[in-house]
Amino acid sequence: NPDTNVVILNGAGHIFCAGHDLKEIARNRTQPDHGEAFLTELFTDCADMMQKLATFPKPTIAMVDGITTAAGLQMMASCDLAFVSPNASFCLPGVTNGGFCTTPAVGVSRSVGRKHLMELLLSGEAKDADWAMNASLVNRVYSSETLTQEVHTFAATLASRNAAPISAGKTAVLTQLDMALDQAYAHATPVMVSHFMDAGR
């Protein structure tokens, strides 16, 4: 939508996103293939959505005022920014129910260092907003009372800026992260030139 310059993701009430529906997964385990086809489609679709979110050409902000676990944490980590309240908690609980949060780790690993990632994965424990801030999992912590206003103020300021260079610049920055230094500069330079040539500058 050309009229939308910033996207905010927010969960209803005090749950940002609790991840996949484990009861739905359990129901599909009764299939002749023990749910393998269902799980393959589910996690393939989820990975596709997470990749689209992570590479979305417009800025994305996660606003978290409560629980975010497993694929929910993956979704939050896939956003460009995460603003949270002290009510927020963060968890990769796979080990506590006999599994492992392998695909959520892909998204989360792009935000935190290896030690913090492994602590989330191997403990399965919920972490608070201060831990998440120290782990670089979130950008800012606001009170529950001011979170919505702060996020919308930030988003409105960002939305008022020239959208075309932001979109092109964000895409270029994400692309160059996996390049060698010389290739990264070669990729970024023409995009930088295009910013100055943009009529809206």
Side-chain angles (χ1 to χ4, degrees):
N1 184 338
D3 296 325
T4 301
N5 291 341
V6 179
V7 174
I8 299 172
L9 297 185
N10 180 32
H14 290 295
I15 298 178
F16 176 75
C17 181
H20 292 291
D21 185 342
L22 298 182
K23 291 180 181 177
E24 180 186 33
I25 290 173
R27 285 194 302 271
N28 279 275
R29 297 280 288 158
T30 63
Q31 299 295 323
D33 68 349
H34 304 289
E36 184 176 3
F38 169 78
L39 288 169
T40 299
E41 182 178 2
L42 176 69
F43 290 120
T44 300
D45 288 347
C46 181
D48 182 56
M49 188 275 290
M50 296 297 178
Q51 290 175 76
K52 287 178 180 174
L53 178 59
T55 59
F56 196 67
K58 298 180 182 186
T60 55
I61 302 171
M63 181 167 63
V64 182
D65 190 33
I67 297 166
T68 176
T69 64
L73 184 53
Q74 178 185 10
M75 183 166 60
M76 186 203 83
S78 297
C79 291
D80 297 316
L81 302 166
F83 298 151
V84 308
S85 81
N87 292 331
S89 64
F90 313 88
C91 188
L92 294 177
V95 295
T96 65
N97 58 30
F100 200 80
C101 283
T102 305
T103 52
V106 174
V108 176
S109 69
R110 269 58 179 176
S111 293
V112 302
R114 181 175 174 176
K115 300 296 186 189
H116 288 108
L117 174 68
M118 296 312 291
E119 183 176 355
L120 282 167
L121 287 167
L122 297 176
S123 73
E125 298 171 350
K127 303 298 183 182
D128 64 15
D130 289 337
W131 186 94
M133 187 73 183
N134 290 332
S136 298
L137 187 58
V138 304
N139 295 91
R140 300 182 190 179
V141 180
Y142 294 113
S143 71
S144 292
E145 295 75 24
T146 63
L147 176 64
T148 299
Q149 182 59 51
E150 294 285 0
V151 170
H152 283 269
T153 298
F154 185 97
T157 299
L158 184 52
S160 71
R161 295 180 175 150
N162 192 352
I166 290 173
S167 179
K170 176 184 168 182
T171 300
V173 166
L174 293 175
T175 301
Q176 64 83 28
L177 287 173
D178 294 324
M179 294 179 174
L181 187 61
D182 59 336
Q183 295 172 328
Y185 275 113
H187 180 77
T189 297
V191 180
M192 186 71 177
V193 171
S194 74
H195 300 335
F196 284 89
M197 303 307 294
D198 188 279
R201 183 176 166 80

